[in-house]
Amino acid sequence: MSEGERKLMDDRGQYLQAVTEGRDVQDADWTQCRILLTTERVALVADEKRVIPLSEIDNVGGRYDVNQNAAGVASYVTLHIGDDVVLLRAPEQDAFETDLYRAFLDNTIVYVKHPAVKGGVVQGAEWQRAKIKLTDEAVKLAVEDGQYVTIGRDDIGDVETDDRTVDGTERRVFEVEHTDSEDRSVETHLTGEGQQITILEAIFEEGVERNRANLDLSPTEQQIVMALHSGVSPFDVPEFVDEDVEDIEEIFDRLIELDVIETIRERTEVEITSRGRQVASEEMGSQ
């Protein structure tokens, strides 16, 4: 390894060459290999050794089900390298993907506006530079004004994107909704350059997917989630939706099981979760 290069992961795994020189490989299959990941490259060691410098990877993430061999696998990471596409899977897939994202992001500089929105109110925050670090649990930002911002990867309620001029350059900006250390709903806006944008998009899409509320909620359940999201006290919900207290208790139980709300102190003292915020956002978007 070169000076300063660090090994992040070394384990058995598999790769599938989905595209070669711009053409789908229809008969592609998984090949057993050793995967060596460093801060500068990915090496795939099988009968032959292939080394992929991180600087040559154009895009990461998203499925590329070139055939049934790829489609039949629940989880893999996709690398777009010029006109080639390679799929990778490892025994500890989540940990491998985090290590891969870390290789691109850790200790690099991004631009951050925090809090851009707090409690639904736009703040006067300015864009600042921040050093980024990724863990299994969170995206951590050390901002130049001394703030330390943590975005839990299981606490991302919604992400929107916009193109804006930041530091004199047109950039893609991620507007990330999450909670702060005091459990208040806030938005942190982030942007970067090149590969940073690609990796941040993969991380945030994964976070939203973790909390995406693909739930079959009844109209009353949806109304309750909207009420809680709007600040209605859990104790006022029965009157708000015109339902008996006992019926609301049963609905609270179901929403707790679905991780849409969570208990605070008493059985009926609840607050909206990131998944619940996603339900509310989707409901408001459909109205």
Side-chain angles (χ1 to χ4, degrees), residues 113-125 185-189:
K113 185 185 286 190
H114 177 86
V117 179
K118 181 167 63 177
V121 179
V122 176
Q123 307 295 298
S185 176
V186 298
E187 280 187 17
T188 298
H189 295 180

Side-chain angles (χ1 to χ4, degrees), residues 132-134 137-141 149-153 203-204:
I132 189 168
K133 182 176 179 60
L134 181 67
E137 294 79 26
V139 177
K140 298 187 175 183
L141 303 161
V149 181
T150 298
I151 303 175
R153 295 174 66 179
I203 292 169
F204 293 143

Side-chain angles (χ1 to χ4, degrees), residues 53-66:
L54 298 185
S55 60
E56 295 183 5
I57 297 176
D58 303 311
N59 197 0
V60 176
R63 293 190 66 88
Y64 199 101
D65 292 338
V66 66

Side-chain angles (χ1 to χ4, degrees), residues 6-171:
R6 294 183 294 107
K7 182 167 66 174
L8 299 176
M9 176 262 196
D10 188 351
D11 203 350
R12 301 298 301 175
Q14 295 179 309
Y15 76 88
L16 184 147
Q17 184 79 36
V19 178
T20 299
E21 297 181 349
R23 291 190 174 186
D24 288 355
V25 182
Q26 298 294 342
D27 61 349
D29 203 353
W30 294 98
T31 298
Q32 298 286 337
C33 67
R34 172 190 173 196
I35 302 176
L36 175 62
L37 171 66
T38 77
T39 52
E40 294 187 10
R41 71 200 74 223
V42 179
L44 308 177
V45 184
D47 292 338
E48 297 181 355
K49 180 178 180 180
R50 180 177 183 181
V51 177
I52 307 169
L54 298 185
S55 60
E56 295 183 5
I57 297 176
D58 303 311
N59 197 0
V60 176
R63 293 190 66 88
Y64 199 101
D65 292 338
V66 66
N67 58 22
Q68 190 56 43
N69 292 327
V73 171
S75 179
Y76 57 74
V77 64
T78 304
L79 305 183
H80 296 260
I81 311 124
D83 292 330
D84 291 356
V85 176
V86 177
L87 315 183
L88 297 178
R89 54 191 299 223
E92 300 294 335
Q93 186 67 24
D94 289 345
F96 168 54
E97 291 184 17
T98 292
D99 285 341
L100 180 63
Y101 299 155
R102 285 176 54 214
F104 286 99
L105 285 184
D106 270 7
N107 297 317
T108 64
I109 301 298
V110 295
Y111 292 90
V112 176
K113 185 185 286 190
H114 177 86
V117 179
K118 181 167 63 177
V121 179
V122 176
Q123 307 295 298
E126 300 290 335
W127 286 104
Q128 299 184 75
R129 288 157 60 90
K131 183 177 288 188
I132 189 168
K133 182 176 179 60
L134 181 67
T135 70
D136 291 337
E137 294 79 26
V139 177
K140 298 187 175 183
L141 303 161
V143 189
E144 61 183 338
D145 67 356
Q147 292 186 88
Y148 288 93
V149 181
T150 298
I151 303 175
R153 295 174 66 179
D154 286 332
D155 183 44
I156 298 173
D158 194 17
V159 178
E160 295 185 2
T161 60
D162 193 13
D163 292 329
R164 300 181 198 166
T165 300
V166 180
D167 194 34
T169 304
E170 187 77 5
R171 302 175 189 271

